[in-house]
Amino acid sequence: MTNDSQASELTDGFHLVIEALKLNGITNIYGLPGIPVTDLTRMMQEEGMRVISFRHEQNAGNAAAIAGFMTGKPGVCLTVSAPGFLNGLTALANATTNCFPMILISGSSEREIVDLQQGDYEEMDQLAIAKPLCKAAFRVLNAEDIGVGIARAIRSAVSGRPGGVYLDLPAKLFGQAMDAAAGKASLIKVVDPAPRQIPAPDAVKRALDLLKSAKKPLILLGKGAAYAQADADIKTLVEKSGIPYLPMSMAKGILPDTHEQCASAARSFVLPEADVVLLVGARLNWLLSHGKGKTWGGKDHKNPGGQKFIQIDISPTEADSNVAIDAPLVGDIGSCVSALLAGMGSSWAKPPTEWTSAVAERKNKNVAKMAETLAKDPSPMNYHSSLNVVRDIIKANPDAILVNEGANALDFTRSIVDMYKPRKRLDVGTWGVMGIGMGFAVAAAVESGQPVIAIEGDSAFGFSGMEVETICRYNLPVCIVIMNNNGVYRGDELARGGSKDPSPLVFVKGARYDKLMEAFGGVGVQATTPAELRRAMEDAIKSRKPTLINAVIDEGAGTESGRITSLNPTSAAKKK
Ligand code: ADP
Ligand code: TPW
Ligand code: MG
């Protein structure tokens, strides 16, 4: 703790870390205390920072990562050494994979003892372990370098392609004293941490020439487009060009899903049919079948369907990673989109009506089919009848943030629940990782102040479920809906080989997850009908009380792996 008699002349590592973060506008910390960062969390709170303390570091890490996505500023996760650090590492790696800016700050043990492997308390060479899993990793040994260390961490996290950064702060650093004035002078307020990157004029012209030549153009918006916060220009690009667009999962809502040019309901028609595809902050990875194969109208997995691609991305090495990119447009999305808009001029010809009306026809047919399915009211509830309620609730509360994980619970929600505003849908992202739910929900509520609705598979919820205590402790307006089908994908699997154990894919039948919320003073509700679910969700939104609704879903309603059954090695082998 600060020694009062010296406070005017001396400062220490603890306070320099706090001042460096605050100087750069970082005031929310997601973490878990313990040696050597216990006092740091106390002092952070004392100095006016908001410290959100979790029950497991992975959830704190996920919270920091999604705070980064939502705000464009690095989200900070603070952990103890070795085991706490390792618990935070999955989230750091996931942030890097998803291009979310995040800084994992972990305390570490004595360098001299760690490096000689003499068995220190929580001994681990954390810097070396973090390096391959993040964008950059730094260690600060001297108090006078804290300002530089934090500045480098911030720049690395948010400049260019955003990602995770590890910052190693050894225990000894925190107590290091130095002259207060010199300490203050050593801090850096980072100027322009994520500089605009303007695309080259010839690259813009190449992209526009290709787009102009298209008979069946398509725009694909990815979560990079949501992150870039260039919402107005993206909307203008879509509307001025008249081109149908498809949002990737976390790009839903950049334009409302109900927009007439939204082609989500005709996805399997537009992907193989399109001749020129403009990718905006979306990678041609597995989620887009690598830009080739049957999804894209190709004859087999080697031949692309003949589409030409324009790709807007801040990373110059993203182009050609899966298929040839005919017109790469390297720069930040805001600058690239406004350059395209400027180049389009006032006389841009909209795509041929044969194309836009074919898309509309397919879309209307599928929307009508879906409306029929949603109107059914089976008992027990299935994914459609329950998610029809969630769809209405989001429509009535477009500012609410939707967190979503699971398999069927994810895929059905993504296709049934329309989003109306940007960065309101937060989900499993590029890895399809389970366990993001409660960390994302906490950060979404803390960063936005808006109500949060978390639609969770019962398996998915289990990965971070203990954080319902955190949600209650901070009294956050989070409404969790467990799509409870008694298991992973389905709850009706039988044991194999005459085993007395349950199938590896099923859970306790009739589990009451709502009681878990009640244990910490929140509201727990059991819902077996859409009417009960609707009432409980409306109450939760109105009261802003932590709520957990156990929605009982037909245990036979789901399919293996949701929509990605084909990636299961057994299914893949059968296909060959
Ligand atoms: P999705 O999963 O929605 O398809 P991806 O995560 O695959 O999206 O792609 C996001 C892409 O957006 C990444 O390649 C990343 O480099 C890019 N990106 C992120 N932020 C920006 C930005 N501000 N400007 C340009 N590209 C960006
Ligand atoms: C960290 C594998 C993908 S989806 C899923 C698992 C375990 C759970 C599906 O069941 P849930 O949803 O949530 O009940 P539903 O509606 O289909 O029944 N470990 C990690 N990440 C992943 N993706 C897995 C395991 C998986
Ligand atoms: Mg389930």
mmCIF file of all heavy atoms in Angstrom, residues 17-41:
data_model
loop_
_atom_site.group_PDB
_atom_site.id
_atom_site.type_symbol
_atom_site.label_atom_id
_atom_site.label_comp_id
_atom_site.label_asym_id
_atom_site.label_seq_id
_atom_site.Cartn_x
_atom_site.Cartn_y
_atom_site.Cartn_z
ATOM 1 N N VAL A 17 0.950 1.321 -13.374
ATOM 2 C CA VAL A 17 0.098 0.486 -14.246
ATOM 3 C C VAL A 17 -1.294 1.101 -14.332
ATOM 4 O O VAL A 17 -1.865 1.279 -15.420
ATOM 5 C CB VAL A 17 0.016 -0.968 -13.709
ATOM 6 C CG1 VAL A 17 -1.068 -1.761 -14.447
ATOM 7 C CG2 VAL A 17 1.368 -1.673 -13.839
ATOM 8 N N ILE A 18 -1.823 1.468 -13.175
ATOM 9 C CA ILE A 18 -3.173 2.048 -13.125
ATOM 10 C C ILE A 18 -3.227 3.362 -13.910
ATOM 11 O O ILE A 18 -4.114 3.571 -14.751
ATOM 12 C CB ILE A 18 -3.593 2.275 -11.649
ATOM 13 C CG1 ILE A 18 -3.779 0.915 -10.969
ATOM 14 C CG2 ILE A 18 -4.861 3.128 -11.558
ATOM 15 C CD1 ILE A 18 -3.903 0.982 -9.456
ATOM 16 N N GLU A 19 -2.235 4.238 -13.676
ATOM 17 C CA GLU A 19 -2.238 5.540 -14.353
ATOM 18 C C GLU A 19 -2.067 5.387 -15.857
ATOM 19 O O GLU A 19 -2.693 6.097 -16.646
ATOM 20 C CB GLU A 19 -1.148 6.455 -13.768
ATOM 21 C CG GLU A 19 -1.447 6.948 -12.352
ATOM 22 C CD GLU A 19 -2.884 7.468 -12.176
ATOM 23 O OE1 GLU A 19 -3.350 8.214 -13.051
ATOM 24 O OE2 GLU A 19 -3.547 7.097 -11.179
ATOM 25 N N ALA A 20 -1.226 4.424 -16.259
ATOM 26 C CA ALA A 20 -0.991 4.224 -17.704
ATOM 27 C C ALA A 20 -2.275 3.760 -18.391
ATOM 28 O O ALA A 20 -2.603 4.208 -19.488
ATOM 29 C CB ALA A 20 0.122 3.208 -17.913
ATOM 30 N N LEU A 21 -3.016 2.864 -17.733
ATOM 31 C CA LEU A 21 -4.272 2.384 -18.326
ATOM 32 C C LEU A 21 -5.290 3.517 -18.390
ATOM 33 O O LEU A 21 -5.924 3.752 -19.429
ATOM 34 C CB LEU A 21 -4.831 1.205 -17.507
ATOM 35 C CG LEU A 21 -4.035 -0.111 -17.599
ATOM 36 C CD1 LEU A 21 -4.528 -1.111 -16.547
ATOM 37 C CD2 LEU A 21 -4.129 -0.727 -18.992
ATOM 38 N N LYS A 22 -5.438 4.225 -17.288
ATOM 39 C CA LYS A 22 -6.433 5.311 -17.239
ATOM 40 C C LYS A 22 -6.109 6.410 -18.256
ATOM 41 O O LYS A 22 -7.013 6.938 -18.920
ATOM 42 C CB LYS A 22 -6.511 5.901 -15.828
ATOM 43 C CG LYS A 22 -7.353 5.023 -14.886
ATOM 44 C CD LYS A 22 -7.260 5.434 -13.435
ATOM 45 C CE LYS A 22 -7.793 6.823 -13.162
ATOM 46 N NZ LYS A 22 -7.712 7.133 -11.707
ATOM 47 N N LEU A 23 -4.827 6.717 -18.380
ATOM 48 C CA LEU A 23 -4.402 7.740 -19.338
ATOM 49 C C LEU A 23 -4.868 7.392 -20.753
ATOM 50 O O LEU A 23 -5.125 8.261 -21.580
ATOM 51 C CB LEU A 23 -2.866 7.846 -19.294
ATOM 52 C CG LEU A 23 -2.202 8.930 -20.127
ATOM 53 C CD1 LEU A 23 -2.640 10.313 -19.653
ATOM 54 C CD2 LEU A 23 -0.675 8.805 -20.030
ATOM 55 N N ASN A 24 -4.996 6.081 -21.009
ATOM 56 C CA ASN A 24 -5.404 5.631 -22.341
ATOM 57 C C ASN A 24 -6.879 5.243 -22.403
ATOM 58 O O ASN A 24 -7.310 4.509 -23.307
ATOM 59 C CB ASN A 24 -4.500 4.479 -22.793
ATOM 60 C CG ASN A 24 -3.121 5.003 -23.181
ATOM 61 O OD1 ASN A 24 -2.985 5.655 -24.214
ATOM 62 N ND2 ASN A 24 -2.128 4.761 -22.341
ATOM 63 N N GLY A 25 -7.632 5.726 -21.425
ATOM 64 C CA GLY A 25 -9.085 5.538 -21.486
ATOM 65 C C GLY A 25 -9.538 4.131 -21.140
ATOM 66 O O GLY A 25 -10.683 3.770 -21.420
ATOM 67 N N ILE A 26 -8.666 3.328 -20.553
ATOM 68 C CA ILE A 26 -9.080 1.977 -20.164
ATOM 69 C C ILE A 26 -9.485 2.013 -18.695
ATOM 70 O O ILE A 26 -8.653 2.206 -17.810
ATOM 71 C CB ILE A 26 -7.942 0.957 -20.406
ATOM 72 C CG1 ILE A 26 -7.668 0.872 -21.908
ATOM 73 C CG2 ILE A 26 -8.314 -0.417 -19.837
ATOM 74 C CD1 ILE A 26 -6.473 0.045 -22.277
ATOM 75 N N THR A 27 -10.783 1.846 -18.448
ATOM 76 C CA THR A 27 -11.262 1.979 -17.067
ATOM 77 C C THR A 27 -12.004 0.737 -16.586
ATOM 78 O O THR A 27 -12.340 0.648 -15.408
ATOM 79 C CB THR A 27 -12.200 3.201 -16.935
ATOM 80 O OG1 THR A 27 -13.191 3.109 -17.953
ATOM 81 C CG2 THR A 27 -11.439 4.503 -17.102
ATOM 82 N N ASN A 28 -12.280 -0.215 -17.496
ATOM 83 C CA ASN A 28 -12.916 -1.470 -17.067
ATOM 84 C C ASN A 28 -11.894 -2.598 -17.089
ATOM 85 O O ASN A 28 -11.200 -2.790 -18.087
ATOM 86 C CB ASN A 28 -14.068 -1.844 -18.002
ATOM 87 C CG ASN A 28 -15.255 -0.905 -17.851
ATOM 88 O OD1 ASN A 28 -15.400 -0.232 -16.825
ATOM 89 N ND2 ASN A 28 -16.090 -0.856 -18.861
ATOM 90 N N ILE A 29 -11.819 -3.338 -15.978
ATOM 91 C CA ILE A 29 -10.886 -4.454 -15.887
ATOM 92 C C ILE A 29 -11.687 -5.712 -15.573
ATOM 93 O O ILE A 29 -12.507 -5.721 -14.651
ATOM 94 C CB ILE A 29 -9.849 -4.228 -14.751
ATOM 95 C CG1 ILE A 29 -9.052 -2.940 -14.980
ATOM 96 C CG2 ILE A 29 -8.913 -5.435 -14.602
ATOM 97 C CD1 ILE A 29 -8.122 -2.941 -16.160
ATOM 98 N N TYR A 30 -11.476 -6.764 -16.347
ATOM 99 C CA TYR A 30 -12.133 -8.054 -16.122
ATOM 100 C C TYR A 30 -11.083 -9.010 -15.589
ATOM 101 O O TYR A 30 -10.076 -9.261 -16.266
ATOM 102 C CB TYR A 30 -12.726 -8.564 -17.446
ATOM 103 C CG TYR A 30 -13.728 -7.588 -18.030
ATOM 104 C CD1 TYR A 30 -13.345 -6.630 -18.965
ATOM 105 C CD2 TYR A 30 -15.050 -7.606 -17.606
ATOM 106 C CE1 TYR A 30 -14.262 -5.717 -19.476
ATOM 107 C CE2 TYR A 30 -15.976 -6.696 -18.106
ATOM 108 C CZ TYR A 30 -15.581 -5.761 -19.043
ATOM 109 O OH TYR A 30 -16.497 -4.856 -19.548
ATOM 110 N N GLY A 31 -11.253 -9.508 -14.372
ATOM 111 C CA GLY A 31 -10.169 -10.309 -13.830
ATOM 112 C C GLY A 31 -10.544 -11.189 -12.666
ATOM 113 O O GLY A 31 -11.725 -11.418 -12.372
ATOM 114 N N LEU A 32 -9.506 -11.691 -12.016
ATOM 115 C CA LEU A 32 -9.676 -12.560 -10.850
ATOM 116 C C LEU A 32 -8.444 -12.372 -9.968
ATOM 117 O O LEU A 32 -7.323 -12.554 -10.440
ATOM 118 C CB LEU A 32 -9.825 -14.010 -11.334
ATOM 119 C CG LEU A 32 -10.512 -15.008 -10.389
ATOM 120 C CD1 LEU A 32 -11.080 -16.194 -11.149
ATOM 121 C CD2 LEU A 32 -9.609 -15.458 -9.265
ATOM 122 N N PRO A 33 -8.648 -11.977 -8.694
ATOM 123 C CA PRO A 33 -7.499 -11.610 -7.859
ATOM 124 C C PRO A 33 -6.731 -12.808 -7.283
ATOM 125 O O PRO A 33 -7.181 -13.936 -7.386
ATOM 126 C CB PRO A 33 -8.159 -10.815 -6.725
ATOM 127 C CG PRO A 33 -9.535 -11.382 -6.616
ATOM 128 C CD PRO A 33 -9.933 -11.797 -8.016
ATOM 129 N N GLY A 34 -5.615 -12.511 -6.657
ATOM 130 C CA GLY A 34 -4.733 -13.510 -6.048
ATOM 131 C C GLY A 34 -3.303 -13.010 -6.206
ATOM 132 O O GLY A 34 -3.070 -12.005 -6.900
ATOM 133 N N ILE A 35 -2.340 -13.709 -5.568
ATOM 134 C CA ILE A 35 -0.937 -13.290 -5.659
ATOM 135 C C ILE A 35 -0.479 -13.364 -7.108
ATOM 136 O O ILE A 35 -0.736 -14.386 -7.743
ATOM 137 C CB ILE A 35 -0.043 -14.188 -4.767
ATOM 138 C CG1 ILE A 35 -0.405 -13.966 -3.291
ATOM 139 C CG2 ILE A 35 1.446 -13.936 -5.013
ATOM 140 C CD1 ILE A 35 0.306 -14.940 -2.332
ATOM 141 N N PRO A 36 0.149 -12.373 -7.690
ATOM 142 C CA PRO A 36 0.597 -11.125 -7.078
ATOM 143 C C PRO A 36 -0.257 -9.901 -7.438
ATOM 144 O O PRO A 36 0.239 -8.788 -7.330
ATOM 145 C CB PRO A 36 1.994 -10.980 -7.700
ATOM 146 C CG PRO A 36 1.813 -11.508 -9.102
ATOM 147 C CD PRO A 36 0.734 -12.565 -9.033
ATOM 148 N N VAL A 37 -1.531 -10.114 -7.839
ATOM 149 C CA VAL A 37 -2.297 -8.951 -8.321
ATOM 150 C C VAL A 37 -3.446 -8.547 -7.393
ATOM 151 O O VAL A 37 -4.252 -7.682 -7.736
ATOM 152 C CB VAL A 37 -2.846 -9.189 -9.762
ATOM 153 C CG1 VAL A 37 -1.697 -9.412 -10.744
ATOM 154 C CG2 VAL A 37 -3.836 -10.349 -9.811
ATOM 155 N N THR A 38 -3.534 -9.171 -6.215
ATOM 156 C CA THR A 38 -4.634 -8.849 -5.301
ATOM 157 C C THR A 38 -4.712 -7.353 -5.003
ATOM 158 O O THR A 38 -5.757 -6.721 -5.163
ATOM 159 C CB THR A 38 -4.462 -9.606 -3.966
ATOM 160 O OG1 THR A 38 -4.040 -10.937 -4.244
ATOM 161 C CG2 THR A 38 -5.750 -9.634 -3.166
ATOM 162 N N ASP A 39 -3.565 -6.797 -4.582
ATOM 163 C CA ASP A 39 -3.582 -5.368 -4.233
ATOM 164 C C ASP A 39 -3.827 -4.497 -5.455
ATOM 165 O O ASP A 39 -4.431 -3.428 -5.352
ATOM 166 C CB ASP A 39 -2.264 -4.965 -3.554
ATOM 167 C CG ASP A 39 -2.201 -5.497 -2.122
ATOM 168 O OD1 ASP A 39 -3.290 -5.732 -1.543
ATOM 169 O OD2 ASP A 39 -1.088 -5.698 -1.609
ATOM 170 N N LEU A 40 -3.370 -4.968 -6.608
ATOM 171 C CA LEU A 40 -3.605 -4.190 -7.828
ATOM 172 C C LEU A 40 -5.113 -4.040 -8.055
ATOM 173 O O LEU A 40 -5.594 -2.947 -8.375
ATOM 174 C CB LEU A 40 -2.934 -4.876 -9.031
ATOM 175 C CG LEU A 40 -3.048 -4.134 -10.361
ATOM 176 C CD1 LEU A 40 -2.382 -2.753 -10.300
ATOM 177 C CD2 LEU A 40 -2.429 -4.941 -11.508
ATOM 178 N N THR A 41 -5.877 -5.128 -7.842
ATOM 179 C CA THR A 41 -7.334 -5.017 -8.057
ATOM 180 C C THR A 41 -7.942 -4.047 -7.038
ATOM 181 O O THR A 41 -8.805 -3.251 -7.385
ATOM 182 C CB THR A 41 -8.039 -6.392 -7.953
ATOM 183 O OG1 THR A 41 -7.849 -6.946 -6.653
ATOM 184 C CG2 THR A 41 -7.539 -7.367 -8.994
#
